[in-house]
Amino acid sequence: MNTHTGQSTSVWMTSAPQPAFPKLSHDEGADVCIVGAGIAGLTTAYLLTKAGKTVIVLDDGPIFSGETERTTAHLVTVLDKRYFELEQLHGEGGAKLAAESHAAAIDTIERIVCEERIDCDFERVDGYLFNAPDQPPDLLDRELAAARRAGLTNTELVDRAPPISFDTGRALRFQRQAQFSPLKYVAALAQSIVRGGGRIFTDTHATKFTGGKPAKVATRAGSIVSCEAIVIATNTPVNDWLIIQAKQAAYRSYVIGIAVPTGTVPKALYWDTGDPYHYIRLLETKTSGTTSAQDILLV
Ligand SMILES: Cc1cc2nc3c(=O)[nH]c(=O)nc-3n(C[C@H](O)[C@H](O)[C@H](O)COP(=O)(O)OP(=O)(O)OC[C@H]3O[C@@H](n4cnc5c(N)ncnc54)[C@H](O)[C@@H]3O)c2cc1C
């Protein structure tokens, strides 16, 4: 049976069986101890295992029960901040780095999906950014120029996004974005980690992190993992309560899934430039391999 933390439910929660792992009840050792079994921790563990390292992954819940099972799973080079804003904050080089790193992340997921033959509905799709009514009319022009300077040279301005229920007006079309089914993907990563000799422990809360040779992770139940390196992949870090937390603000995204007749919304990613912004994607539902009469629109 799948188990989840938190009160909210997402459309993914029944999409993949949630592999079960034991609680850590003794001392252990590995090259790397990764704390957090969301997409960040499991990807790190997967890549390290492929590189020949021994890994131990600890999570205080079941695996992928944090943000990863609540994401809308748009895989994008279109970020929450506009590229012209990133240029102001970090210069042209910084904006380029942001574009390159997100493109590399999507490419990496695509490569892993192919190499591991993961059936997770990964698909390259176009993304459309259009103006919210209260935004300056030249915003898209400025963003087009900045996106191209950041290396997204195939970005173009089109008269409107594909027909959703209203006319978006002019939109920026970003090519080679992607979408996938996140829990099918991370469940397969977990299996591959275990096949590669990695060990995963759940219901295991990490409480204390000590550097040195060896570095040590202590758990609430009193076990110690000794390792060469520790990776904190807990989303917001739990090893230091000042450096990042002092710069963080809490925001909440609300997502609803709406059944729509198949074919009524063209498959793409869509965002507006509002604050807060709105974004949507489509999730095709299939019953026993046959296409269903309804898709789910994630808003
Ligand atoms: C509604 C919503 C929509 C989103 N949409 C998108 C989107 O479209 N595209 C996109 O790119 N991103 C999106 N995101 C963001 C994305 O989902 C997250 O960035 C990503 O899932 C974070 O993964 P993670 O592995 O870093 O963290 P999590 O998935 O949160 O994993 C962290 C894990 O660490 C564990 N943990 C925490 N503390 C400890 C401890 N002390 N000891 C042991 N374990 C611990 C937790 O139990 C958890 O399993 C969205 C997020 C939300 C909430």
Side-chain angles (χ1 to χ4, degrees), residues 36 38-40 59-60 67-68 70-74 204-206 233-235 253 255 279:
I39 192 168
D59 199 294
D60 69 358
E67 271 202 51
T68 297
R70 295 179 172 84
T71 181
T72 50
H74 294 226
T204 300
H205 186 83
T234 51
N235 199 349
S253 295
V255 183
Y279 62 110

mmCIF file with all atom_site columns, all heavy atoms in Angstrom, residues 36 38-40 59-60 67-68 70-74 204-206 233-235 253 255 279, ligand 1:
data_model
loop_
_atom_site.group_PDB
_atom_site.id
_atom_site.type_symbol
_atom_site.label_atom_id
_atom_site.label_alt_id
_atom_site.label_comp_id
_atom_site.label_asym_id
_atom_site.label_entity_id
_atom_site.label_seq_id
_atom_site.pdbx_PDB_ins_code
_atom_site.Cartn_x
_atom_site.Cartn_y
_atom_site.Cartn_z
_atom_site.occupancy
_atom_site.B_iso_or_equiv
_atom_site.pdbx_formal_charge
_atom_site.auth_seq_id
_atom_site.auth_comp_id
_atom_site.auth_asym_id
_atom_site.auth_atom_id
_atom_site.pdbx_PDB_model_num
ATOM   1   N N   . GLY A 1 36  ? 17.543 12.126 2.151   1.00 0.00 ? 36  GLY A N   1
ATOM   2   C CA  . GLY A 1 36  ? 16.415 12.610 1.349   1.00 0.00 ? 36  GLY A CA  1
ATOM   3   C C   . GLY A 1 36  ? 16.231 11.742 0.121   1.00 0.00 ? 36  GLY A C   1
ATOM   4   O O   . GLY A 1 36  ? 17.157 11.592 -0.676  1.00 0.00 ? 36  GLY A O   1
ATOM   5   N N   . GLY A 1 38  ? 13.790 12.124 -2.333  1.00 0.00 ? 38  GLY A N   1
ATOM   6   C CA  . GLY A 1 38  ? 12.965 12.720 -3.392  1.00 0.00 ? 38  GLY A CA  1
ATOM   7   C C   . GLY A 1 38  ? 13.724 12.590 -4.697  1.00 0.00 ? 38  GLY A C   1
ATOM   8   O O   . GLY A 1 38  ? 14.710 11.843 -4.795  1.00 0.00 ? 38  GLY A O   1
ATOM   9   N N   . ILE A 1 39  ? 13.317 13.354 -5.705  1.00 0.00 ? 39  ILE A N   1
ATOM   10  C CA  . ILE A 1 39  ? 13.980 13.220 -7.014  1.00 0.00 ? 39  ILE A CA  1
ATOM   11  C C   . ILE A 1 39  ? 15.449 13.639 -6.931  1.00 0.00 ? 39  ILE A C   1
ATOM   12  O O   . ILE A 1 39  ? 16.300 13.045 -7.599  1.00 0.00 ? 39  ILE A O   1
ATOM   13  C CB  . ILE A 1 39  ? 13.221 14.000 -8.122  1.00 0.00 ? 39  ILE A CB  1
ATOM   14  C CG1 . ILE A 1 39  ? 13.762 13.607 -9.503  1.00 0.00 ? 39  ILE A CG1 1
ATOM   15  C CG2 . ILE A 1 39  ? 13.254 15.502 -7.897  1.00 0.00 ? 39  ILE A CG2 1
ATOM   16  C CD1 . ILE A 1 39  ? 12.903 14.080 -10.660 1.00 0.00 ? 39  ILE A CD1 1
ATOM   17  N N   . ALA A 1 40  ? 15.777 14.605 -6.064  1.00 0.00 ? 40  ALA A N   1
ATOM   18  C CA  . ALA A 1 40  ? 17.179 15.053 -5.977  1.00 0.00 ? 40  ALA A CA  1
ATOM   19  C C   . ALA A 1 40  ? 18.052 13.961 -5.367  1.00 0.00 ? 40  ALA A C   1
ATOM   20  O O   . ALA A 1 40  ? 19.102 13.608 -5.923  1.00 0.00 ? 40  ALA A O   1
ATOM   21  C CB  . ALA A 1 40  ? 17.262 16.339 -5.155  1.00 0.00 ? 40  ALA A CB  1
ATOM   22  N N   . ASP A 1 59  ? 15.676 8.307  4.399   1.00 0.00 ? 59  ASP A N   1
ATOM   23  C CA  . ASP A 1 59  ? 14.539 9.238  4.351   1.00 0.00 ? 59  ASP A CA  1
ATOM   24  C C   . ASP A 1 59  ? 13.675 9.034  5.585   1.00 0.00 ? 59  ASP A C   1
ATOM   25  O O   . ASP A 1 59  ? 13.468 7.889  6.014   1.00 0.00 ? 59  ASP A O   1
ATOM   26  C CB  . ASP A 1 59  ? 13.694 9.041  3.090   1.00 0.00 ? 59  ASP A CB  1
ATOM   27  C CG  . ASP A 1 59  ? 12.839 10.270 2.812   1.00 0.00 ? 59  ASP A CG  1
ATOM   28  O OD1 . ASP A 1 59  ? 11.917 10.574 3.618   1.00 0.00 ? 59  ASP A OD1 1
ATOM   29  O OD2 . ASP A 1 59  ? 13.105 10.954 1.808   1.00 0.00 ? 59  ASP A OD2 1
ATOM   30  N N   . ASP A 1 60  ? 13.151 10.125 6.120   1.00 0.00 ? 60  ASP A N   1
ATOM   31  C CA  . ASP A 1 60  ? 12.353 9.954  7.339   1.00 0.00 ? 60  ASP A CA  1
ATOM   32  C C   . ASP A 1 60  ? 10.913 9.544  7.040   1.00 0.00 ? 60  ASP A C   1
ATOM   33  O O   . ASP A 1 60  ? 10.158 9.196  7.942   1.00 0.00 ? 60  ASP A O   1
ATOM   34  C CB  . ASP A 1 60  ? 12.425 11.183 8.253   1.00 0.00 ? 60  ASP A CB  1
ATOM   35  C CG  . ASP A 1 60  ? 11.724 12.396 7.689   1.00 0.00 ? 60  ASP A CG  1
ATOM   36  O OD1 . ASP A 1 60  ? 11.199 12.323 6.559   1.00 0.00 ? 60  ASP A OD1 1
ATOM   37  O OD2 . ASP A 1 60  ? 11.711 13.427 8.377   1.00 0.00 ? 60  ASP A OD2 1
ATOM   38  N N   . GLU A 1 67  ? 8.007  16.875 -1.761  1.00 0.00 ? 67  GLU A N   1
ATOM   39  C CA  . GLU A 1 67  ? 7.516  17.686 -2.886  1.00 0.00 ? 67  GLU A CA  1
ATOM   40  C C   . GLU A 1 67  ? 7.413  16.873 -4.164  1.00 0.00 ? 67  GLU A C   1
ATOM   41  O O   . GLU A 1 67  ? 6.581  17.157 -5.021  1.00 0.00 ? 67  GLU A O   1
ATOM   42  C CB  . GLU A 1 67  ? 8.467  18.868 -3.137  1.00 0.00 ? 67  GLU A CB  1
ATOM   43  C CG  . GLU A 1 67  ? 8.118  20.083 -2.329  1.00 0.00 ? 67  GLU A CG  1
ATOM   44  C CD  . GLU A 1 67  ? 8.676  21.354 -2.940  1.00 0.00 ? 67  GLU A CD  1
ATOM   45  O OE1 . GLU A 1 67  ? 8.466  21.607 -4.141  1.00 0.00 ? 67  GLU A OE1 1
ATOM   46  O OE2 . GLU A 1 67  ? 9.328  22.091 -2.209  1.00 0.00 ? 67  GLU A OE2 1
ATOM   47  N N   . THR A 1 68  ? 8.305  15.873 -4.275  1.00 0.00 ? 68  THR A N   1
ATOM   48  C CA  . THR A 1 68  ? 8.377  15.131 -5.541  1.00 0.00 ? 68  THR A CA  1
ATOM   49  C C   . THR A 1 68  ? 7.048  14.497 -5.928  1.00 0.00 ? 68  THR A C   1
ATOM   50  O O   . THR A 1 68  ? 6.732  14.388 -7.104  1.00 0.00 ? 68  THR A O   1
ATOM   51  C CB  . THR A 1 68  ? 9.513  14.081 -5.459  1.00 0.00 ? 68  THR A CB  1
ATOM   52  O OG1 . THR A 1 68  ? 10.740 14.786 -5.294  1.00 0.00 ? 68  THR A OG1 1
ATOM   53  C CG2 . THR A 1 68  ? 9.590  13.209 -6.691  1.00 0.00 ? 68  THR A CG2 1
ATOM   54  N N   . ARG A 1 70  ? 4.209  15.773 -5.358  1.00 0.00 ? 70  ARG A N   1
ATOM   55  C CA  . ARG A 1 70  ? 3.193  16.821 -5.519  1.00 0.00 ? 70  ARG A CA  1
ATOM   56  C C   . ARG A 1 70  ? 3.505  17.773 -6.656  1.00 0.00 ? 70  ARG A C   1
ATOM   57  O O   . ARG A 1 70  ? 2.767  18.711 -6.922  1.00 0.00 ? 70  ARG A O   1
ATOM   58  C CB  . ARG A 1 70  ? 3.041  17.593 -4.213  1.00 0.00 ? 70  ARG A CB  1
ATOM   59  C CG  . ARG A 1 70  ? 2.498  16.706 -3.112  1.00 0.00 ? 70  ARG A CG  1
ATOM   60  C CD  . ARG A 1 70  ? 2.353  17.405 -1.791  1.00 0.00 ? 70  ARG A CD  1
ATOM   61  N NE  . ARG A 1 70  ? 1.644  16.529 -0.870  1.00 0.00 ? 70  ARG A NE  1
ATOM   62  C CZ  . ARG A 1 70  ? 2.234  15.582 -0.146  1.00 0.00 ? 70  ARG A CZ  1
ATOM   63  N NH1 . ARG A 1 70  ? 3.537  15.394 -0.236  1.00 0.00 ? 70  ARG A NH1 1
ATOM   64  N NH2 . ARG A 1 70  ? 1.526  14.821 0.656   1.00 0.00 ? 70  ARG A NH2 1
ATOM   65  N N   . THR A 1 71  ? 4.635  17.541 -7.329  1.00 0.00 ? 71  THR A N   1
ATOM   66  C CA  . THR A 1 71  ? 5.029  18.420 -8.421  1.00 0.00 ? 71  THR A CA  1
ATOM   67  C C   . THR A 1 71  ? 4.039  18.320 -9.580  1.00 0.00 ? 71  THR A C   1
ATOM   68  O O   . THR A 1 71  ? 3.287  17.354 -9.681  1.00 0.00 ? 71  THR A O   1
ATOM   69  C CB  . THR A 1 71  ? 6.435  18.029 -8.916  1.00 0.00 ? 71  THR A CB  1
ATOM   70  O OG1 . THR A 1 71  ? 6.817  18.900 -9.959  1.00 0.00 ? 71  THR A OG1 1
ATOM   71  C CG2 . THR A 1 71  ? 6.478  16.601 -9.439  1.00 0.00 ? 71  THR A CG2 1
ATOM   72  N N   . THR A 1 72  ? 4.055  19.318 -10.466 1.00 0.00 ? 72  THR A N   1
ATOM   73  C CA  . THR A 1 72  ? 3.274  19.183 -11.700 1.00 0.00 ? 72  THR A CA  1
ATOM   74  C C   . THR A 1 72  ? 4.145  18.628 -12.823 1.00 0.00 ? 72  THR A C   1
ATOM   75  O O   . THR A 1 72  ? 3.650  18.368 -13.907 1.00 0.00 ? 72  THR A O   1
ATOM   76  C CB  . THR A 1 72  ? 2.682  20.534 -12.125 1.00 0.00 ? 72  THR A CB  1
ATOM   77  O OG1 . THR A 1 72  ? 3.715  21.507 -12.131 1.00 0.00 ? 72  THR A OG1 1
ATOM   78  C CG2 . THR A 1 72  ? 1.584  20.962 -11.188 1.00 0.00 ? 72  THR A CG2 1
ATOM   79  N N   . ALA A 1 73  ? 5.460  18.506 -12.539 1.00 0.00 ? 73  ALA A N   1
ATOM   80  C CA  . ALA A 1 73  ? 6.383  17.810 -13.447 1.00 0.00 ? 73  ALA A CA  1
ATOM   81  C C   . ALA A 1 73  ? 6.480  18.435 -14.834 1.00 0.00 ? 73  ALA A C   1
ATOM   82  O O   . ALA A 1 73  ? 6.461  17.749 -15.843 1.00 0.00 ? 73  ALA A O   1
ATOM   83  C CB  . ALA A 1 73  ? 6.030  16.327 -13.517 1.00 0.00 ? 73  ALA A CB  1
ATOM   84  N N   . HIS A 1 74  ? 6.548  19.761 -14.846 1.00 0.00 ? 74  HIS A N   1
ATOM   85  C CA  . HIS A 1 74  ? 6.989  20.451 -16.071 1.00 0.00 ? 74  HIS A CA  1
ATOM   86  C C   . HIS A 1 74  ? 8.525  20.425 -16.028 1.00 0.00 ? 74  HIS A C   1
ATOM   87  O O   . HIS A 1 74  ? 9.110  20.844 -15.024 1.00 0.00 ? 74  HIS A O   1
ATOM   88  C CB  . HIS A 1 74  ? 6.599  21.928 -16.049 1.00 0.00 ? 74  HIS A CB  1
ATOM   89  C CG  . HIS A 1 74  ? 5.137  22.222 -16.081 1.00 0.00 ? 74  HIS A CG  1
ATOM   90  N ND1 . HIS A 1 74  ? 4.595  23.181 -16.912 1.00 0.00 ? 74  HIS A ND1 1
ATOM   91  C CD2 . HIS A 1 74  ? 4.105  21.723 -15.377 1.00 0.00 ? 74  HIS A CD2 1
ATOM   92  C CE1 . HIS A 1 74  ? 3.292  23.258 -16.716 1.00 0.00 ? 74  HIS A CE1 1
ATOM   93  N NE2 . HIS A 1 74  ? 2.965  22.387 -15.785 1.00 0.00 ? 74  HIS A NE2 1
ATOM   94  N N   . THR A 1 204 ? 13.524 6.780  8.667   1.00 0.00 ? 204 THR A N   1
ATOM   95  C CA  . THR A 1 204 ? 14.816 6.964  9.329   1.00 0.00 ? 204 THR A CA  1
ATOM   96  C C   . THR A 1 204 ? 15.171 8.451  9.291   1.00 0.00 ? 204 THR A C   1
ATOM   97  O O   . THR A 1 204 ? 15.560 8.979  8.248   1.00 0.00 ? 204 THR A O   1
ATOM   98  C CB  . THR A 1 204 ? 15.909 6.130  8.609   1.00 0.00 ? 204 THR A CB  1
ATOM   99  O OG1 . THR A 1 204 ? 15.528 4.745  8.654   1.00 0.00 ? 204 THR A OG1 1
ATOM   100 C CG2 . THR A 1 204 ? 17.265 6.316  9.249   1.00 0.00 ? 204 THR A CG2 1
ATOM   101 N N   . HIS A 1 205 ? 14.987 9.110  10.417  1.00 0.00 ? 205 HIS A N   1
ATOM   102 C CA  . HIS A 1 205 ? 15.184 10.558 10.473  1.00 0.00 ? 205 HIS A CA  1
ATOM   103 C C   . HIS A 1 205 ? 16.640 10.875 10.806  1.00 0.00 ? 205 HIS A C   1
ATOM   104 O O   . HIS A 1 205 ? 17.151 10.451 11.849  1.00 0.00 ? 205 HIS A O   1
ATOM   105 C CB  . HIS A 1 205 ? 14.252 11.154 11.532  1.00 0.00 ? 205 HIS A CB  1
ATOM   106 C CG  . HIS A 1 205 ? 14.274 12.634 11.586  1.00 0.00 ? 205 HIS A CG  1
ATOM   107 N ND1 . HIS A 1 205 ? 13.527 13.414 10.732  1.00 0.00 ? 205 HIS A ND1 1
ATOM   108 C CD2 . HIS A 1 205 ? 14.967 13.490 12.369  1.00 0.00 ? 205 HIS A CD2 1
ATOM   109 C CE1 . HIS A 1 205 ? 13.750 14.687 10.997  1.00 0.00 ? 205 HIS A CE1 1
ATOM   110 N NE2 . HIS A 1 205 ? 14.627 14.768 11.990  1.00 0.00 ? 205 HIS A NE2 1
ATOM   111 N N   . ALA A 1 206 ? 17.314 11.609 9.929   1.00 0.00 ? 206 ALA A N   1
ATOM   112 C CA  . ALA A 1 206 ? 18.710 11.999 10.191  1.00 0.00 ? 206 ALA A CA  1
ATOM   113 C C   . ALA A 1 206 ? 18.711 13.246 11.066  1.00 0.00 ? 206 ALA A C   1
ATOM   114 O O   . ALA A 1 206 ? 17.988 14.215 10.780  1.00 0.00 ? 206 ALA A O   1
ATOM   115 C CB  . ALA A 1 206 ? 19.427 12.262 8.877   1.00 0.00 ? 206 ALA A CB  1
ATOM   116 N N   . ALA A 1 233 ? 19.904 16.143 0.628   1.00 0.00 ? 233 ALA A N   1
ATOM   117 C CA  . ALA A 1 233 ? 18.936 16.309 -0.468  1.00 0.00 ? 233 ALA A CA  1
ATOM   118 C C   . ALA A 1 233 ? 17.533 16.363 0.123   1.00 0.00 ? 233 ALA A C   1
ATOM   119 O O   . ALA A 1 233 ? 16.616 15.674 -0.323  1.00 0.00 ? 233 ALA A O   1
ATOM   120 C CB  . ALA A 1 233 ? 19.082 15.163 -1.460  1.00 0.00 ? 233 ALA A CB  1
ATOM   121 N N   . THR A 1 234 ? 17.398 17.189 1.158   1.00 0.00 ? 234 THR A N   1
ATOM   122 C CA  . THR A 1 234 ? 16.128 17.257 1.893   1.00 0.00 ? 234 THR A CA  1
ATOM   123 C C   . THR A 1 234 ? 15.252 18.412 1.408   1.00 0.00 ? 234 THR A C   1
ATOM   124 O O   . THR A 1 234 ? 14.332 18.831 2.091   1.00 0.00 ? 234 THR A O   1
ATOM   125 C CB  . THR A 1 234 ? 16.407 17.440 3.399   1.00 0.00 ? 234 THR A CB  1
ATOM   126 O OG1 . THR A 1 234 ? 17.315 18.531 3.566   1.00 0.00 ? 234 THR A OG1 1
ATOM   127 C CG2 . THR A 1 234 ? 17.015 16.195 3.999   1.00 0.00 ? 234 THR A CG2 1
ATOM   128 N N   . ASN A 1 235 ? 15.551 18.939 0.230   1.00 0.00 ? 235 ASN A N   1
ATOM   129 C CA  . ASN A 1 235 ? 14.854 20.086 -0.348  1.00 0.00 ? 235 ASN A CA  1
ATOM   130 C C   . ASN A 1 235 ? 15.319 21.347 0.369   1.00 0.00 ? 235 ASN A C   1
ATOM   131 O O   . ASN A 1 235 ? 16.216 22.012 -0.088  1.00 0.00 ? 235 ASN A O   1
ATOM   132 C CB  . ASN A 1 235 ? 13.339 19.893 -0.296  1.00 0.00 ? 235 ASN A CB  1
ATOM   133 C CG  . ASN A 1 235 ? 12.634 20.810 -1.279  1.00 0.00 ? 235 ASN A CG  1
ATOM   134 O OD1 . ASN A 1 235 ? 13.257 21.708 -1.826  1.00 0.00 ? 235 ASN A OD1 1
ATOM   135 N ND2 . ASN A 1 235 ? 11.372 20.579 -1.506  1.00 0.00 ? 235 ASN A ND2 1
ATOM   136 N N   . SER A 1 253 ? 1.966  26.499 -3.605  1.00 0.00 ? 253 SER A N   1
ATOM   137 C CA  . SER A 1 253 ? 1.328  26.377 -4.924  1.00 0.00 ? 253 SER A CA  1
ATOM   138 C C   . SER A 1 253 ? 0.086  25.522 -4.758  1.00 0.00 ? 253 SER A C   1
ATOM   139 O O   . SER A 1 253 ? 0.126  24.507 -4.067  1.00 0.00 ? 253 SER A O   1
ATOM   140 C CB  . SER A 1 253 ? 2.246  25.668 -5.928  1.00 0.00 ? 253 SER A CB  1
ATOM   141 O OG  . SER A 1 253 ? 3.388  26.416 -6.177  1.00 0.00 ? 253 SER A OG  1
ATOM   142 N N   . VAL A 1 255 ? -2.595 23.191 -6.797  1.00 0.00 ? 255 VAL A N   1
ATOM   143 C CA  . VAL A 1 255 ? -2.763 22.502 -8.081  1.00 0.00 ? 255 VAL A CA  1
ATOM   144 C C   . VAL A 1 255 ? -4.099 21.780 -8.073  1.00 0.00 ? 255 VAL A C   1
ATOM   145 O O   . VAL A 1 255 ? -4.436 21.098 -7.103  1.00 0.00 ? 255 VAL A O   1
ATOM   146 C CB  . VAL A 1 255 ? -1.650 21.457 -8.303  1.00 0.00 ? 255 VAL A CB  1
ATOM   147 C CG1 . VAL A 1 255 ? -1.805 20.806 -9.665  1.00 0.00 ? 255 VAL A CG1 1
ATOM   148 C CG2 . VAL A 1 255 ? -0.276 22.078 -8.160  1.00 0.00 ? 255 VAL A CG2 1
ATOM   149 N N   . TYR A 1 279 ? -0.014 28.141 -14.366 1.00 0.00 ? 279 TYR A N   1
ATOM   150 C CA  . TYR A 1 279 ? 0.574  27.292 -15.390 1.00 0.00 ? 279 TYR A CA  1
ATOM   151 C C   . TYR A 1 279 ? -0.198 26.008 -15.506 1.00 0.00 ? 279 TYR A C   1
ATOM   152 O O   . TYR A 1 279 ? -0.791 25.540 -14.533 1.00 0.00 ? 279 TYR A O   1
ATOM   153 C CB  . TYR A 1 279 ? 2.068  27.066 -15.150 1.00 0.00 ? 279 TYR A CB  1
ATOM   154 C CG  . TYR A 1 279 ? 2.468  26.372 -13.866 1.00 0.00 ? 279 TYR A CG  1
ATOM   155 C CD1 . TYR A 1 279 ? 2.984  25.083 -13.907 1.00 0.00 ? 279 TYR A CD1 1
ATOM   156 C CD2 . TYR A 1 279 ? 2.365  27.004 -12.632 1.00 0.00 ? 279 TYR A CD2 1
ATOM   157 C CE1 . TYR A 1 279 ? 3.394  24.442 -12.755 1.00 0.00 ? 279 TYR A CE1 1
ATOM   158 C CE2 . TYR A 1 279 ? 2.770  26.363 -11.477 1.00 0.00 ? 279 TYR A CE2 1
ATOM   159 C CZ  . TYR A 1 279 ? 3.274  25.092 -11.539 1.00 0.00 ? 279 TYR A CZ  1
ATOM   160 O OH  . TYR A 1 279 ? 3.679  24.466 -10.394 1.00 0.00 ? 279 TYR A OH  1
HETATM 161 C C1  . LIG B 2 .   ? 2.619  22.032 -6.238  1.00 0.00 ? 1   LIG B C1  1
HETATM 162 C C2  . LIG B 2 .   ? 4.022  21.960 -6.787  1.00 0.00 ? 1   LIG B C2  1
HETATM 163 C C3  . LIG B 2 .   ? 4.246  22.066 -8.141  1.00 0.00 ? 1   LIG B C3  1
HETATM 164 C C4  . LIG B 2 .   ? 5.539  22.003 -8.645  1.00 0.00 ? 1   LIG B C4  1
HETATM 165 N N1  . LIG B 2 .   ? 5.719  22.046 -9.997  1.00 0.00 ? 1   LIG B N1  1
HETATM 166 C C5  . LIG B 2 .   ? 6.967  21.923 -10.510 1.00 0.00 ? 1   LIG B C5  1
HETATM 167 C C6  . LIG B 2 .   ? 7.164  21.840 -11.913 1.00 0.00 ? 1   LIG B C6  1
HETATM 168 O O1  . LIG B 2 .   ? 6.229  21.875 -12.709 1.00 0.00 ? 1   LIG B O1  1
HETATM 169 N N2  . LIG B 2 .   ? 8.441  21.724 -12.385 1.00 0.00 ? 1   LIG B N2  1
HETATM 170 C C7  . LIG B 2 .   ? 9.507  21.655 -11.523 1.00 0.00 ? 1   LIG B C7  1
HETATM 171 O O2  . LIG B 2 .   ? 10.655 21.551 -12.000 1.00 0.00 ? 1   LIG B O2  1
HETATM 172 N N3  . LIG B 2 .   ? 9.342  21.709 -10.171 1.00 0.00 ? 1   LIG B N3  1
HETATM 173 C C8  . LIG B 2 .   ? 8.104  21.830 -9.659  1.00 0.00 ? 1   LIG B C8  1
HETATM 174 N N4  . LIG B 2 .   ? 7.926  21.835 -8.312  1.00 0.00 ? 1   LIG B N4  1
HETATM 175 C C9  . LIG B 2 .   ? 9.109  21.725 -7.473  1.00 0.00 ? 1   LIG B C9  1
HETATM 176 C C10 . LIG B 2 .   ? 9.617  20.274 -7.437  1.00 0.00 ? 1   LIG B C10 1
HETATM 177 O O3  . LIG B 2 .   ? 8.549  19.405 -7.180  1.00 0.00 ? 1   LIG B O3  1
HETATM 178 C C11 . LIG B 2 .   ? 10.661 20.168 -6.333  1.00 0.00 ? 1   LIG B C11 1
HETATM 179 O O4  . LIG B 2 .   ? 11.697 21.083 -6.584  1.00 0.00 ? 1   LIG B O4  1
HETATM 180 C C12 . LIG B 2 .   ? 11.263 18.767 -6.245  1.00 0.00 ? 1   LIG B C12 1
HETATM 181 O O5  . LIG B 2 .   ? 10.282 17.754 -6.195  1.00 0.00 ? 1   LIG B O5  1
HETATM 182 C C13 . LIG B 2 .   ? 12.120 18.720 -5.000  1.00 0.00 ? 1   LIG B C13 1
HETATM 183 O O6  . LIG B 2 .   ? 12.689 17.441 -4.897  1.00 0.00 ? 1   LIG B O6  1
HETATM 184 P P1  . LIG B 2 .   ? 13.664 17.145 -3.702  1.00 0.00 ? 1   LIG B P1  1
HETATM 185 O O7  . LIG B 2 .   ? 14.166 15.768 -3.878  1.00 0.00 ? 1   LIG B O7  1
HETATM 186 O O8  . LIG B 2 .   ? 14.642 18.255 -3.601  1.00 0.00 ? 1   LIG B O8  1
HETATM 187 O O9  . LIG B 2 .   ? 12.752 17.296 -2.392  1.00 0.00 ? 1   LIG B O9  1
HETATM 188 P P2  . LIG B 2 .   ? 11.539 16.330 -1.777  1.00 0.00 ? 1   LIG B P2  1
HETATM 189 O O10 . LIG B 2 .   ? 10.856 15.603 -2.873  1.00 0.00 ? 1   LIG B O10 1
HETATM 190 O O11 . LIG B 2 .   ? 10.792 17.198 -0.894  1.00 0.00 ? 1   LIG B O11 1
HETATM 191 O O12 . LIG B 2 .   ? 12.410 15.262 -1.005  1.00 0.00 ? 1   LIG B O12 1
HETATM 192 C C14 . LIG B 2 .   ? 13.068 15.579 0.214   1.00 0.00 ? 1   LIG B C14 1
HETATM 193 C C15 . LIG B 2 .   ? 13.030 14.343 1.101   1.00 0.00 ? 1   LIG B C15 1
HETATM 194 O O13 . LIG B 2 .   ? 13.853 14.590 2.235   1.00 0.00 ? 1   LIG B O13 1
HETATM 195 C C16 . LIG B 2 .   ? 13.275 13.904 3.332   1.00 0.00 ? 1   LIG B C16 1
HETATM 196 N N5  . LIG B 2 .   ? 13.787 14.490 4.572   1.00 0.00 ? 1   LIG B N5  1
HETATM 197 C C17 . LIG B 2 .   ? 13.655 15.773 5.014   1.00 0.00 ? 1   LIG B C17 1
HETATM 198 N N6  . LIG B 2 .   ? 14.288 15.935 6.189   1.00 0.00 ? 1   LIG B N6  1
HETATM 199 C C18 . LIG B 2 .   ? 14.853 14.737 6.496   1.00 0.00 ? 1   LIG B C18 1
HETATM 200 C C19 . LIG B 2 .   ? 15.654 14.261 7.585   1.00 0.00 ? 1   LIG B C19 1
HETATM 201 N N7  . LIG B 2 .   ? 16.024 15.065 8.594   1.00 0.00 ? 1   LIG B N7  1
HETATM 202 N N8  . LIG B 2 .   ? 16.042 12.967 7.586   1.00 0.00 ? 1   LIG B N8  1
HETATM 203 C C20 . LIG B 2 .   ? 15.688 12.128 6.583   1.00 0.00 ? 1   LIG B C20 1
HETATM 204 N N9  . LIG B 2 .   ? 14.944 12.537 5.512   1.00 0.00 ? 1   LIG B N9  1
HETATM 205 C C21 . LIG B 2 .   ? 14.536 13.817 5.469   1.00 0.00 ? 1   LIG B C21 1
HETATM 206 C C22 . LIG B 2 .   ? 11.767 14.098 3.140   1.00 0.00 ? 1   LIG B C22 1
HETATM 207 O O14 . LIG B 2 .   ? 11.035 13.082 3.817   1.00 0.00 ? 1   LIG B O14 1
HETATM 208 C C23 . LIG B 2 .   ? 11.637 14.013 1.624   1.00 0.00 ? 1   LIG B C23 1
HETATM 209 O O15 . LIG B 2 .   ? 11.266 12.711 1.177   1.00 0.00 ? 1   LIG B O15 1
HETATM 210 C C24 . LIG B 2 .   ? 6.643  21.872 -7.772  1.00 0.00 ? 1   LIG B C24 1
HETATM 211 C C25 . LIG B 2 .   ? 6.415  21.759 -6.403  1.00 0.00 ? 1   LIG B C25 1
HETATM 212 C C26 . LIG B 2 .   ? 5.130  21.795 -5.903  1.00 0.00 ? 1   LIG B C26 1
HETATM 213 C C27 . LIG B 2 .   ? 4.909  21.614 -4.425  1.00 0.00 ? 1   LIG B C27 1
#
